[in-house]
Amino acid sequence: ENVLTQSPATLSLSPGERATLSCGASQSVSTNYLAWYQQKPGLAPRLLIYDASKRATGIPDRFSGSGSGTDFTLIISRLEPEDFAVYYCQQYGSSPVTFGQGTKLES
Amino acid sequence: EVQLVQSGAEVRKPGESLKISCKTSGYIFTNYWIAWVRQMPGKGLEWMGIINPYDYDTRYNPSVQGLFTISADRSIATAYLQWSSLRASDSAMYYCVRQWSGDYWGQGTRVTVSS
């Protein structure tokens, strides 16, 4: 299976700052089928980015995704208070689908 | 509006069976795969498997331990996750998810297995 490794495990920033989250894959992600999710306590994850760089419906443009092959990045350009949460990357280019272990973004 | 509405929380004893559901609406059920994702308390997300409601093609994650089955009923646009014999290690939150890329998620069903 394609193992995804996220870094850092925890990222401590303040509102207004820029956040850069990384996701590395053990194998090339087919067709760049890589997604990013945000999860807040007690809630289901929410899709932010799919196909590595496409924003999901209703996602603010301060969220952007980039990368290809085995290295992917999620950038939040200017943190808002509601952005502090856990973020997961996921590859769906091969079965089984796999998730990274998550990055906790804290203030 | 696309909705995935899951059945309520369940408490079972080890060895018991269980079937939880995911009722969908707002789109053509047979046009999108439905997956199940497990989240153990305080842990990350694990993909369990996925079903194509059009032809019932089903894929499982061999890395996820457990005696479970994924199924669907096209007539009522509902997907299911069931166990024939639960173990304590099956205690988790379970989410149904539309598509391989997870564009819509159910609210989750908490399953507790305890003697």
Side-chain angles (χ1 to χ4, degrees), chain B residues 21-81:
Chain B
S21 65
C22 172
K23 170 70 175 172
T24 73
S25 61
Y27 72 97
I28 299 173
F29 184 59
T30 51
N31 283 2
Y32 297 86
W33 295 70
I34 293 282
W36 287 91
V37 172
R38 179 175 76 180
Q39 188 167 38
M40 293 181 170
K43 302 299 183 183
L45 304 170
E46 296 175 279
W47 190 83
M48 300 176 71
I50 196 167
I51 187 165
N52 183 343
Y54 177 77
D55 60 7
Y56 299 120
D57 181 13
T58 308
R59 319 281 176 84
Y60 292 97
N61 184 351
S63 299
V64 177
Q65 296 180 345
L67 298 173
F68 62 89
T69 302
I70 294 170
S71 61
D73 185 337
R74 289 193 299 241
S75 68
I76 54 173
T78 299
Y80 301 96
L81 177 63

Side-chain angles (χ1 to χ4, degrees), chain A residues 4-28:
Chain A
L4 301 184
T5 302
Q6 292 185 240
S7 62
T10 304
L11 185 57
S12 299
L13 293 170
S14 299
E17 292 191 297
R18 176 186 176 97
T20 302
L21 288 68
S22 296
C23 177
S26 63
Q27 307 165 33
S28 183

Side-chain angles (χ1 to χ4, degrees), chain A residues 1 37 39 44 90 97 99, chain B residues 39 45 47 63 95 100-101 106:
Chain A
E1 68 179 45
Y37 298 89
Q39 187 177 31
Q90 175 213 36
V97 167
F99 291 92
Chain B
Q39 188 167 38
L45 304 170
W47 190 83
S63 299
Y95 295 101
W100 292 78
S101 56

Side-chain angles (χ1 to χ4, degrees), chain A residues 22-39:
Chain A
S22 296
C23 177
S26 63
Q27 307 165 33
S28 183
V29 176
S30 175
T31 325
N32 290 332
Y33 281 162
L34 192 287
W36 289 92
Y37 298 89
Q38 176 194 70
Q39 187 177 31

